[in-house]
Amino acid sequence: MAYAFMLGPAGEFGIHGNHWTPLHAGVEGWVESLALAGHATLWAKSITKITGDAVETLDLTGYERVPEIQGITDNWWRGADSLIAIYRGEADCLAAPQCRTAHIYAGLDDWGLNGG
């Protein structure tokens, strides 16, 4: 791998490659992110992947941050019927903006959005 997983001085969970990049405020946020990705993948009617500069053009109006993720460079957003995961940490760590990625999980009902 081009980086190692590490904990920061305040308990942040992140990666170290070219330099240290915190992804989440803690390990719990990273675990929540992984769990949400698995859940969203299972229940979404469609999943769209966007990379590079196109990630910055996403309109998040009407979306709210998913607080359990404790995102710093990687974050999740919840909308009316979709979830959006935006991953910027690896791109930052490796100085590779083309690695920015967003996954849009669309067609979710209340169970898909909240898990219960």
Side-chain angles (χ1 to χ4, degrees):
M1 289 188 70
Y3 52 81
F5 294 101
M6 298 180 77
L7 295 178
E12 311 93 333
F13 177 83
I15 55 179
H16 190 282
N18 289 350
H19 64 272
W20 162 247
T21 302
L23 305 177
H24 303 275
V27 172
E28 298 83 4
W30 176 61
V31 171
E32 288 288 340
S33 180
L34 294 174
L36 189 54
H39 178 81
T41 298
L42 184 63
W43 296 103
K45 290 190 167 89
S46 69
I47 303 169
T48 303
K49 179 180 175 181
I50 298 172
T51 60
D53 291 338
V55 171
E56 304 310 323
T57 67
L58 284 172
D59 182 6
L60 297 173
T61 303
Y63 284 80
E64 64 180 1
R65 239 181 222 223
V66 178
E68 297 84 0
I69 302 305
Q70 302 173 21
I72 297 176
T73 56
D74 290 356
N75 261 299
W76 280 75
W77 300 84
R78 182 179 287 120
D81 66 350
S82 59
L83 289 164
I84 299 177
I86 300 178
Y87 304 106
R88 292 185 177 103
E90 186 175 293
D92 178 65
C93 178
L94 301 175
Q98 70 275 14
C99 292
R100 290 171 293 179
T101 304
H103 295 169
I104 303 168
Y105 301 88
L108 294 167
D109 60 12
D110 191 54
W111 172 255
L113 289 170
N114 299 296

